[in-house]
Amino acid sequence: MDTKEIIREQKHKLFWILLFSILLAGIIVFQAFLIVEIIQSIFVENKPFEAVITLLILLFIFLIARAFIIHLIGSVSLRVGFQAKKKIRSQLLNHFSTKTLTPTNEDQTGKKISLMLDTVDEVDPYFSEYLPKIIQASTIPVTILIVIFFFNYPSGFIILFTAPFIPLFMAIIGMKTRDKSEEQIEQMNAFSAQFLDTIQGLKTLKIFGKSKQSETKIETSTLGFRDATMDVLKVAFASAFMMELISMLSMGLIALEVSFRMIIFETITFHTAFFVLLLAPEFYVFLKDLSSTFHSGRESLTAIKKIDEEISTETDNVSWGDQKLQTDSPSSIQLKNVEMQYPNEGFSLGPITLHINPYEKIALIGESGSGKTTLFHLIAGLMEPKSGTIYLDGYSKSDVDSTSWFRQLGYLSQSPYIFAGTIAENISLSTNKRVSDQVIWSVLKQVELDALVSTLENGIHTTIGEGGRGLSGGEKQRVALARILVKQPSILLFDEPTTGLDLKTEKVIQNTLSQLTDKMTVITIAHRIKTIQSSDRIWIMEKGKIVADGTHKELEHSNEFYQSLITPTRKENIE
Amino acid sequence: MTNLRIVISEILKEKKDVLLSVLFGFIAGMAAIGLFSASGYLLSKAAIGVPLTALTVVIAIVKLLGVTRAFSRYGERYYSHRASFTVLGHIRKSFYRRLDRSFSTLMQKYQSGDLLSRMVGDIESLQTYFLRVLYPPILLFFIFLTTIFFASFFSFWIAVIIFIGFILQVLVLPSVFYWWLMKTNPNVRATRTALSNDSGEYFFGYKELKIFQREKYQKDSLINKSDQYEQSVLNQKRKERLHQSIYTWVGYFIIWLVLAVGAYFVSDGDLNGVYLAVFLLLSITLFENSEVLSALPIHLANSQEVSERLSEIKPTGQKERKLTTPSFESLRMNQLTFRYANALSPALVDVSFYLNKGSKTAIVGPSGSGKSTIIDLALGLESTQTGSIEWNRTPISQFEQSSIWKQSNVVLQESHFFYGTVRDNLLTEPSHSDIDLKNALQRVNLTYLNLDSLILEKGSNLSGGEKQRLAIARTLLNPDAELWLLDEPTSSLDTNNKDNIYQQLWDETKDKTVLLITHELTHLEKMDQIIVLQEGKIVESGTYEELMDRKGEFYEMKQIEDSVLL
């Protein structure tokens, strides 16, 4: 993402803001002029009220115009922020969609969501406040200053000498607040962390009678947080104080200067003097406005930087082509020197070379962390290997049409995701065709959830998942299985979905699958001796490599690791 | 509105700071008005040509007011913010107290991240309530009143015009806009929640979406949701913008009216011409001051929403629990059926069993079969729904919870470790000496831990096994407890450590009552009774030998456990 590019795209809007600002500057000057004319006529020249009626009407129109233009500038500014945020968010999402399957854990997902929502929101002030204020501050005060110089140059000089102090103080204070506000953010994080730590452990703390102590701790850290916040604010207030002092004093100075010149030197008229006195505050107002958005503009820039960092990280888009796969039998799968790495985790996989024939039943075993799930992701086409090639039916995967591949594929993992929606929606998610209620009920019957679902008021239209009814692990797994039944894939990747589940769920899954697997290629990450023994081939994985590939009979005699696994004493040694 | 009363009462606790901020704010406001009025006066007098000496007093006043204004603005800002942030501290504390009082229900209902965002972000946003909603109108009331009072000496009608301006800007416009805001009900929060939820669905369900070829569709719908959210934000901000513009214009209009009416009176001779410029500059400054109120309705609406969200966290109306538990004799679970809010199926169905003093009971079953719920119920962390729990034949709901906990020694399935030293994390009593602590560590094979070693949040620098052993060490330091409730105490330990821990536990609990919950079927040979739980129901119970002989569910589970590799 490029801030400049976003600005460039909104060029015309910013141009309008510039145009309106110039117009506003003109209105401000003329409005002051009109006010002075009116007072001059009435007070100095003692003209009758009728003489100023036209001027008053004109002033009225100008005031409306002023309010209207301010409104326009504000509205256009809002649109700039609106467009920028929309653009940044969709860029971020497109980026995420290509790199979502790196080793995800919930923490990282949380970070992504917060980047998508909070951080993008923080970007807004830069576009909707800071940029427009910069444009205004660089046109309006300048115009006012030129006008003042033109009418009464000494006042112009007073302003010229005092005004630079404002950006100077702004810069000094900006630097100081950065350190201080970093400190504040640290305090805030510390407070958040402590609070989270405490509420997550509240059960433990209460049972051991320690909750009073943690209340005191919370109190102390809220006070610490308050003090840190006040430290930042004190600096900000000091800056406001200096600006206030400078603008107040220089306005006082101008008032003195013009009245002296009127009385003693009689070099200027009341008209000019009053005109200058009216314009001077307008000059400072815009500078002060800028400095108040300065801080939020800064914060936005930090947010933009954060997003930039994320977007510039490498993505691993899985490449596909147009070649359609045949549909009458499962495709053969071949991996040639496939390698994979997670740069941050210090994990690497491969090189792996293997071949899977249609209808084969393969068991994959290995200790946790040996790369079984990563291998599954590669075979499934959810990840792009760093090097090496995957062939499907002999075609390189990058030539294969992804739809025709995913049409064949079924994947049952240890933690299937249940989407917010009805039971029927979750089950029919697996196919693009419309699924009738009848089919849903029949698959529910197969996974033995029909009795439970029929007790629900809304039956298969009961909302589950986030915001709906919570499902137990076994229930989730059976819904996921129902999805597979609806899809009827010809290649099934089976990431040992029964681990830790009750016997009943396990039996349901085994029974259902045994009726299907004749028509499928099945690769299972297996833990049970029975499953392993009944498969056509066994792969043993160790530290990212396939160290053995053979039938139970072959491995039983040749592979030491396998032997150690299946001998009765192994349990004590492994754990 | 009632929810905000809590905030107001907290604010009133900081009387001194509140008064000081109003006082300084008043001085600052008046000083600015004085400064500009005086400048106008100075200029007008100069125009008539009075001697310089007569003006020196005014000149001095102008300078003095400039400095006063700057200083008192600083004071106002300082005290108002300090009051505000102290109040936020009070609110946080009372929020935590409420949480503490009924945490079991709350933790079930809200995720800890949700509670955190309320505690930190929501409460933080309440700062605007005092700074932007509550005190500016009070301040402006005084400033306007004083100005109107002085103006009335010079011109009754100009005072009336300023008064009308005051009514419009302080009362009418904010109320009308607030009403409009509430009526059109901006759905910013709703669209944001939708976006947040859908993002979660997208990231968590990515694998499924990809395989079922729904990923692109879901992504497009997410971009669509994002645009909807931005649109609602834009609509909201445009409303604010419009209100602000109207507000500004009303200010201009009053200034214009002051000028027009003033000019009329001067030309009529009812008002000294010197005061025309004075009144003009005065009203310009006055209405510049009141600009802060244009954002009041938005802040009010926001504060209200936030305080509503905060007041959702309220202590549940628990019955008075007065009794202190007598020394443990027995615990009876009577036909317990328990369903977590929102769960599709119940966690426990008609569960009954009895723990006699000194008996050893194990509850076994796969994860998700409702085992841990039993412990939560026994400790009063959850209230019973159907059925009852009796402690020495008295319903447990009559006892004060802490007195139950005092007699129990608990290892939770997920024992919590927080940021602090090993010593802190052992949750010791003052009576424990370092030797006791070291002894406990030694018994669980953690001698390599120093009592002053640092443990990070959630014990993230400890392995699962170390955490479990440390949790056991906590219980070993409290050997007098009568009732030991152990929830999967050794699930992450290797065989040697497992054997050692059970050895230590059996040594310590010879004449105590033990309820062990586990999904592993080892070390159960000596138990007096084993209860097999499946899908929340008791399917079998008996001693180890009885169950093995029966060749039922327990036997089958044992077979499977033996056949598992890795």
Side-chain angles (χ1 to χ4, degrees):
Chain A
M1 185 195 62
D2 194 359
T3 323
K4 287 202 187 97
E5 191 199 306
I6 292 174
I7 293 176
R8 215 173 301 131
E9 270 174 23
Q10 310 234 34
K11 217 168 44 190
H12 57 287
K13 288 204 194 81
L14 296 172
F15 176 74
W16 278 112
I17 294 177
L18 178 69
L19 201 74
F20 289 141
S21 300
I22 294 170
L23 208 59
L24 185 59
I27 289 176
I28 289 171
V29 171
F30 272 101
Q31 177 206 315
F33 181 78
L34 283 173
I35 292 176
V36 173
E37 266 310 299
I38 293 167
I39 294 184
Q40 166 89 10
S41 310
I42 298 281
F43 168 53
V44 182
E45 298 165 15
N46 289 321
K47 285 189 185 162
F49 184 67
E50 288 73 31
V52 293
I53 287 180
T54 334
L55 290 175
L56 276 171
I57 292 170
L58 216 55
L59 178 64
F60 190 76
I61 294 167
F62 266 89
L63 286 174
I64 291 179
R66 182 172 178 176
F68 186 63
I69 290 205
I70 291 175
H71 184 74
L72 281 180
I73 292 177
S75 305
V76 177
S77 304
L78 290 180
R79 285 219 153 255
V80 177
F82 168 70
Q83 294 289 359
K85 274 168 74 185
K86 256 170 59 164
K87 170 120 189 154
I88 292 172
R89 193 172 280 123
S90 70
Q91 272 182 4
L92 200 55
L93 191 60
N94 280 324
H95 167 77
F96 280 142
S97 77
T98 58
K99 62 164 286 189
T100 307
L101 259 185
T102 39
T104 30
N105 54 40
E106 295 208 1
D107 181 44
Q108 281 175 323
T109 306
K111 268 188 204 153
K112 281 178 190 164
I113 295 174
S114 127
L115 206 61
M116 280 266 297
L117 287 152
D118 305 330
T119 316
V120 174
D121 278 351
E122 280 166 31
V123 165
D124 183 64
Y126 179 79
F127 294 99
S128 70
E129 288 168 31
Y130 186 65
L131 273 184
K133 288 282 189 237
I134 290 259
I135 295 174
Q136 290 180 57
S138 58
T139 47
I140 299 170
V142 176
T143 317
I144 293 175
L145 190 62
I146 293 171
V147 172
I148 291 179
F149 256 109
F150 186 74
F151 282 97
N152 186 33
Y153 65 91
S155 309
F157 277 117
I158 294 177
I159 293 176
L160 204 58
F161 286 130
T162 52
F165 282 106
I166 290 181
L168 182 74
F169 276 114
M170 244 161 68
I172 293 172
I173 278 144
M175 274 187 289
K176 272 188 106 178
T177 33
R178 205 181 312 153
D179 301 341
K180 289 268 184 185
S181 61
E182 264 163 31
E183 214 177 287
Q184 186 217 7
I185 287 167
E186 257 167 48
Q187 278 279 351
M188 176 141 177
N189 290 343
F191 172 72
S192 301
Q194 199 197 358
F195 178 69
L196 199 61
D197 201 19
T198 310
I199 50 173
Q200 283 174 341
L202 208 48
K203 206 164 162 182
T204 310
L205 290 168
K206 287 202 85 132
I207 289 169
F208 285 86
K210 299 285 173 194
S211 69
K212 194 80 204 156
Q213 268 152 276
S214 43
E215 190 182 317
T216 329
K217 266 199 203 164
I218 293 270
E219 195 184 348
T220 325
S221 69
T222 61
L223 288 179
F225 178 45
R226 178 199 73 177
D227 293 341
T229 313
M230 283 310 290
D231 277 348
V232 179
L233 288 176
K234 264 191 247 172
V235 179
F237 297 161
S239 88
F241 171 74
M242 288 314 295
M243 263 183 277
E244 200 90 42
L245 203 62
I246 291 167
S247 64
M248 280 290 162
L249 284 183
S250 56
M251 274 183 277
L253 222 57
I254 290 169
L256 287 184
E257 178 256 336
V258 290
S259 36
F260 267 98
R261 291 193 348 125
M262 266 171 72
I263 305 167
I264 303 173
F265 308 108
E266 295 190 5
T267 40
I268 54 166
T269 58
F270 171 79
H271 190 280
T272 316
F274 195 46
F275 183 58
V276 169
L277 198 66
L278 275 181
L279 279 182
E282 308 270 14
F283 176 88
Y284 290 102
V285 161
F286 284 95
L287 282 192
K288 275 194 261 179
D289 266 7
L290 176 65
S291 74
S292 67
T293 53
F294 189 72
H295 199 72
S296 45
R298 264 265 121 92
E299 276 169 11
S300 291
L301 279 177
T302 322
I304 291 174
K305 218 175 100 195
K306 248 201 241 167
I307 294 170
D308 251 344
E309 273 165 20
E310 175 58 45
I311 288 186
S312 59
T313 55
E314 228 179 301
T315 57
D316 41 20
N317 212 347
V318 184
S319 56
W320 296 97
D322 303 317
Q323 178 63 47
K324 297 245 186 313
L325 295 170
Q326 44 89 19
T327 49
D328 37 331
S329 71
S331 298
S332 70
I333 304 165
Q334 207 180 342
L335 272 68
K336 228 178 209 164
N337 294 320
V338 165
E339 285 182 82
M340 186 68 208
Q341 269 147 22
Y342 299 144
N344 304 325
E345 322 267 308
F347 172 82
S348 68
L349 180 103
I352 288 177
T353 298
L354 48 84
H355 189 94
I356 306 155
N357 294 315
Y359 305 111
E360 240 185 325
K361 310 281 174 281
I362 294 168
L364 174 60
I365 58 179
E367 288 176 68
S368 66
S370 58
K372 292 169 294 188
T373 302
T374 307
L375 180 62
F376 264 32
H377 286 163
L378 286 167
I379 293 174
L382 293 169
M383 266 183 183
E384 183 72 8
K386 278 278 162 316
S387 64
T389 321
I390 298 171
Y391 296 96
L392 305 169
D393 271 344
Y395 302 109
S396 166
K397 193 207 71 198
S398 55
D399 295 331
V400 170
D401 174 49
S402 65
T403 312
S404 69
W405 164 249
F406 282 125
R407 180 69 202 83
Q408 295 187 27
L409 187 72
Y411 195 126
L412 207 56
S413 71
Q414 282 187 22
S415 50
Y417 191 76
I418 303 298
F419 293 88
T422 65
I423 294 172
E425 280 165 3
N426 261 292
I427 290 174
S428 51
L429 182 80
S430 60
T431 170
N432 292 322
K433 283 176 250 154
R434 238 198 74 77
V435 184
S436 68
D437 285 9
Q438 221 175 344
V439 173
I440 303 270
W441 279 112
S442 90
V443 292
L444 281 175
K445 196 174 163 65
Q446 272 179 282
V447 299
E448 295 181 31
L449 272 178
D450 53 332
L452 178 66
V453 174
S454 61
T455 63
L456 300 170
E457 198 187 326
N458 296 323
I460 57 170
H461 301 296
T462 305
T463 311
I464 52 174
E466 179 114 0
R469 297 287 200 112
L471 269 58
S472 74
E475 288 160 357
K476 272 189 200 167
Q477 212 51 267
R478 282 190 262 168
V479 170
L481 185 62
R483 275 184 196 155
I484 303 248
L485 290 174
V486 168
K487 182 170 182 176
Q488 296 181 323
S490 54
I491 297 170
L492 185 59
L493 299 179
F494 207 61
D495 191 349
E496 194 68 334
T498 54
T499 314
L501 293 182
D502 52 306
L503 290 175
K504 190 178 165 199
T505 306
E506 175 153 3
K507 274 181 207 155
V508 168
I509 292 179
Q510 297 296 359
N511 292 343
T512 317
L513 285 174
S514 64
Q515 298 163 15
L516 293 173
T517 48
D518 292 348
K519 293 169 265 170
M520 289 188 209
T521 305
V522 181
I523 312 170
T524 312
I525 294 177
H527 298 276
R528 303 260 158 96
I529 292 182
K530 218 174 103 192
T531 323
I532 296 166
Q533 283 174 339
S534 65
S535 43
D536 300 336
R537 260 200 296 162
I538 299 158
W539 296 339
I540 297 174
M541 249 190 129
E542 220 178 43
K543 291 183 184 142
K545 292 196 172 60
I546 300 231
V547 292
D549 177 355
T551 62
H552 171 66
K553 283 244 146 36
E554 289 162 17
L555 295 176
E556 203 176 17
H557 302 292
S558 66
N559 191 287
E560 243 175 79
F561 179 67
Y562 189 67
Q563 285 166 352
S564 77
L565 283 178
I566 56 169
T567 42
T569 51
R570 40 89 212 163
K571 274 208 80 195
E572 271 69 30
N573 303 328
I574 291 165
E575 281 183 307
Chain B
M1 239 10 164
T2 46
N3 297 323
L4 280 172
R5 222 172 275 158
I6 305 161
V7 185
I8 295 174
S9 73
E10 293 288 354
I11 290 172
L12 289 179
K13 283 187 194 154
E14 295 302 314
K15 270 194 205 81
K16 196 185 129 209
D17 280 2
V18 171
L19 285 179
L20 278 175
S21 43
V22 173
L23 182 70
F24 277 118
F26 179 71
I27 295 174
M30 291 317 295
I33 291 169
L35 173 75
F36 282 96
S37 312
S39 315
Y41 185 73
L42 182 69
L43 216 59
S44 306
K45 279 287 186 198
I48 324 176
V50 287
L52 185 64
T53 41
L55 287 179
T56 35
V57 181
V58 187
I59 291 165
I61 289 175
V62 167
K63 285 203 140 183
L64 190 68
L65 286 176
V67 178
T68 312
R69 153 88 177 171
F71 271 107
S72 41
R73 270 300 270 164
Y74 182 85
E76 178 201 359
R77 287 194 171 115
Y78 179 79
Y79 285 111
S80 61
H81 282 79
R82 195 173 75 168
S84 218
F85 287 107
T86 315
V87 167
L88 297 191
H90 293 321
I91 297 174
R92 287 211 169 91
K93 203 174 128 190
S94 72
F95 181 71
Y96 177 76
R97 273 221 199 103
R98 271 185 283 164
L99 243 174
D100 183 79
R101 235 178 293 158
S102 53
F103 78 103
S104 57
T105 18
L106 293 174
M107 293 301 278
Q108 202 196 102
K109 218 164 134 194
Y110 303 98
Q111 290 183 323
S112 51
D114 184 11
L115 293 173
L116 178 73
S117 82
R118 284 172 207 241
M119 180 77 164
V120 180
D122 279 6
I123 294 184
E124 196 64 13
S125 74
L126 271 183
Q127 61 171 280
T128 56
Y129 183 62
F130 177 65
L131 291 175
R132 304 254 177 274
V133 177
L134 209 56
Y135 114 104
I138 299 174
L139 186 61
L140 282 174
F141 174 76
F142 287 120
I143 291 177
F144 265 93
L145 218 63
T146 317
T147 317
I148 291 166
F149 177 73
F150 278 112
S152 65
F153 283 106
F154 299 97
S155 167
F156 172 74
W157 287 109
I158 289 183
V160 168
I161 291 168
I162 297 176
F163 180 72
I164 292 170
F166 165 71
I167 297 290
L168 278 177
Q169 284 208 322
V170 178
L171 291 176
V172 179
L173 284 179
S175 318
V176 169
F177 185 58
Y178 181 73
W179 173 79
W180 186 44
L181 203 64
M182 287 289 115
K183 204 178 147 234
T184 51
N185 193 24
N187 49 353
V188 173
R189 195 172 277 276
T191 50
R192 194 176 204 276
T193 311
L195 177 62
S196 164
N197 287 345
D198 278 25
S199 308
E201 295 261 296
Y202 177 78
F203 290 126
F204 285 118
Y206 184 79
K207 201 194 278 183
E208 272 88 348
L209 290 172
K210 197 83 191 175
I211 289 169
F212 299 139
Q213 297 163 54
R214 291 297 180 88
E215 186 264 327
K216 205 182 140 13
Y217 169 79
Q218 193 80 4
K219 188 176 85 187
D220 291 344
S221 115
L222 205 53
I223 289 178
N224 195 7
K225 284 260 161 58
S226 157
D227 291 353
Q228 275 174 23
Y229 164 61
E230 288 306 336
Q231 190 64 50
S232 67
V233 170
L234 182 69
N235 289 344
Q236 161 110 344
K237 287 196 167 171
R238 277 159 94 182
K239 262 185 224 164
E240 284 174 55
R241 184 62 250 171
L242 183 64
H243 174 248
Q244 215 173 345
S245 300
I246 292 173
Y247 202 86
T248 311
W249 187 78
V250 168
Y252 288 164
F253 177 67
I254 300 290
I255 295 168
W256 181 82
L257 218 55
V258 168
L259 181 66
V261 172
Y264 178 76
F265 284 132
V266 171
S267 67
D268 241 23
D270 288 346
L271 182 71
N272 188 339
V274 172
Y275 299 117
L276 189 55
V278 175
F279 273 124
L280 178 80
L281 287 170
L282 177 142
S283 42
I284 288 177
T285 324
L286 193 58
F287 287 99
E288 214 165 73
N289 262 331
S290 68
E291 198 92 324
V292 287
L293 281 193
S294 66
L296 184 145
I298 289 283
H299 290 305
L300 179 60
N302 180 50
S303 303
Q304 206 155 338
E305 200 178 316
V306 167
S307 59
E308 240 158 65
R309 268 161 62 77
L310 286 177
S311 61
E312 276 169 25
I313 311 294
K314 52 177 167 249
T316 40
Q318 272 171 347
K319 276 168 261 154
E320 283 284 297
R321 297 156 175 263
K322 278 283 155 67
L323 298 174
T324 308
T325 44
S327 170
F328 178 81
E329 290 294 335
S330 72
L331 193 68
R332 178 188 289 282
M333 305 279 168
N334 224 341
Q335 295 181 309
L336 289 177
T337 294
F338 187 87
R339 182 199 285 271
Y340 286 101
N342 266 335
L344 203 61
S345 39
L348 293 177
V349 182
D350 202 20
V351 168
S352 307
F353 61 91
Y354 182 71
L355 303 182
N356 205 359
K357 187 174 178 172
S359 69
K360 314 275 183 288
T361 304
I363 299 181
V364 299
S367 65
S369 57
K371 292 170 297 170
S372 299
T373 312
I374 293 178
I375 291 224
D376 284 353
L377 287 168
L379 287 170
L381 294 170
E382 296 284 356
S383 314
T384 49
Q385 293 167 348
T386 322
S388 63
I389 303 174
E390 287 165 16
W391 178 288
N392 299 3
R393 297 171 188 282
T394 312
I396 204 165
S397 54
Q398 294 185 9
F399 297 115
E400 194 168 340
Q401 282 169 314
S402 59
S403 72
I404 301 172
W405 301 335
K406 245 182 212 135
Q407 294 202 43
S408 327
N409 229 348
V410 186
V411 174
L412 295 171
Q413 194 175 12
E414 299 255 328
S415 289
H416 188 76
F417 296 91
F418 48 87
Y419 185 89
T421 61
V422 171
R423 191 195 315 273
D424 295 338
N425 272 288
L426 283 171
L427 302 171
T428 51
E429 298 298 328
S431 60
H432 287 123
S433 70
D434 276 9
I435 298 167
D436 295 336
L437 301 185
K438 280 188 183 146
N439 185 31
L441 287 182
Q442 195 209 333
R443 289 176 68 184
V444 296
N445 281 335
L446 283 176
T447 35
Y448 55 90
L449 282 185
N450 193 313
L451 285 179
D452 295 311
S453 311
L454 198 62
I455 291 178
L456 299 182
E457 269 166 58
K458 287 186 171 183
S460 58
N461 57 343
L462 298 174
S463 74
E466 285 170 330
K467 281 191 231 176
Q468 286 193 327
R469 280 180 281 160
L470 212 51
I472 303 284
R474 279 177 183 165
T475 62
L476 294 179
L477 285 166
N478 183 19
D480 298 331
E482 268 305 325
L483 180 62
W484 292 57
L485 301 169
L486 310 168
D487 193 354
E488 305 274 8
T490 61
S491 57
S492 327
L493 296 180
D494 58 66
T495 317
N496 289 339
N497 268 311
K498 224 173 255 186
D499 292 343
N500 171 51
I501 291 294
Y502 278 111
Q503 194 54 53
Q504 299 294 340
L505 284 172
W506 300 154
D507 281 355
E508 203 62 69
T509 58
K510 275 200 183 83
D511 48 355
K512 311 284 192 216
T513 316
V514 177
L515 179 63
L516 169 71
I517 283 181
T518 176
H519 72 273
E520 295 167 320
L521 309 179
T522 51
H523 300 96
L524 297 177
E525 292 81 354
K526 290 181 197 151
M527 303 306 283
D528 296 323
Q529 64 172 335
I530 298 171
I531 296 167
V532 182
L533 211 61
Q534 258 182 36
E535 294 190 317
K537 291 181 205 114
I538 294 181
V539 289
E540 267 184 329
S541 65
T543 64
Y544 185 83
E545 271 136 38
E546 285 167 10
L547 291 176
M548 287 304 276
D549 288 346
R550 194 180 297 161
K551 294 211 179 346
E553 295 282 333
F554 184 80
Y555 175 81
E556 201 176 332
M557 282 161 70
K558 190 79 186 157
Q559 295 302 310
I560 287 176
E561 191 178 84
D562 286 342
S563 82
V564 170
L565 295 176
L566 293 170

